Amino acid sequence: MHITFNGRDIELSFGLRTLTTIDRSLGLEVENVSLGQGLETMLVPGLQSGNIICLYKLIQAATAHDKKKPKTEEDFESILNDIAENEGLDEFAEQVMYELGKQPMTRKLVPEEYQKGKVMKEVVKTIED
């Protein structure tokens, strides 16, 4: 999965570094102590509701690995406007959930209909039975 920024494609990474960043940035903070939990409590509900800040934080974290990554809020605003105009924010969020459903580390975060690995295992099991 990728986004377009300044005329080039940037692959979105959903590795541990990205997940940790999302967890912190979307997590809770109580009395100046970050509790995290943004992955479990905010990411998927935010994607399902089309929360623009959730999409912004996700793209920010998932592009951090790229040397020519977007850096300013204006960069991210441009990316989000481009996504909204060309594919739709809801459609993009759904693609992200499908992508998370493919990844072993994030599969359990998304509803079952997005869990590719789980669906494939059930198909194989049904065929074997």
Side-chain angles (χ1 to χ4, degrees):
M1 179 169 197
H2 69 275
I3 59 160
T4 302
F5 175 63
N6 285 342
R8 59 185 279 277
D9 288 342
I10 298 178
E11 187 71 27
L12 297 180
S13 167
F14 295 101
L16 192 57
R17 183 180 196 179
T18 299
L19 299 175
T20 302
T21 301
I22 292 169
D23 196 54
R24 274 192 244 123
S25 68
L26 293 176
L28 304 171
E29 188 171 309
V30 178
E31 295 184 24
N32 296 326
V33 176
S34 177
L35 301 176
Q37 302 300 312
L39 276 176
E40 295 170 16
T41 60
M42 299 297 290
L43 180 62
V44 172
L47 291 171
Q48 290 175 320
S49 69
N51 183 310
I52 196 72
I53 300 304
C54 183
L55 289 171
Y56 159 62
K57 296 290 186 177
L58 178 120
I59 292 169
Q60 186 179 41
T63 58
H65 67 282
D66 195 281
K67 290 181 182 181
K68 296 181 180 179
K69 65 184 174 242
K71 295 179 180 137
T72 66
E73 286 185 6
E74 290 79 17
D75 292 342
F76 291 103
E77 187 173 339
S78 173
I79 290 166
L80 289 164
N81 280 330
D82 182 56
I83 291 169
E85 290 175 4
N86 293 311
E87 61 186 293
L89 294 173
D90 291 337
E91 291 79 4
F92 179 78
E94 189 169 50
Q95 288 177 27
V96 169
M97 288 195 289
Y98 277 115
E99 190 63 34
L100 293 172
K102 293 178 192 176
Q103 308 292 324
M105 291 188 300
T106 56
R107 190 171 294 140
K108 289 186 173 186
L109 296 174
V110 296
E112 284 190 29
E113 64 262 27
Y114 299 104
Q115 296 179 13
K116 180 180 180 184
K118 185 172 184 173
V119 170
M120 292 306 292
K121 286 179 187 176
E122 289 173 4
V123 168
V124 170
K125 186 177 179 181
T126 303
I127 292 171
E128 289 174 350
D129 292 340

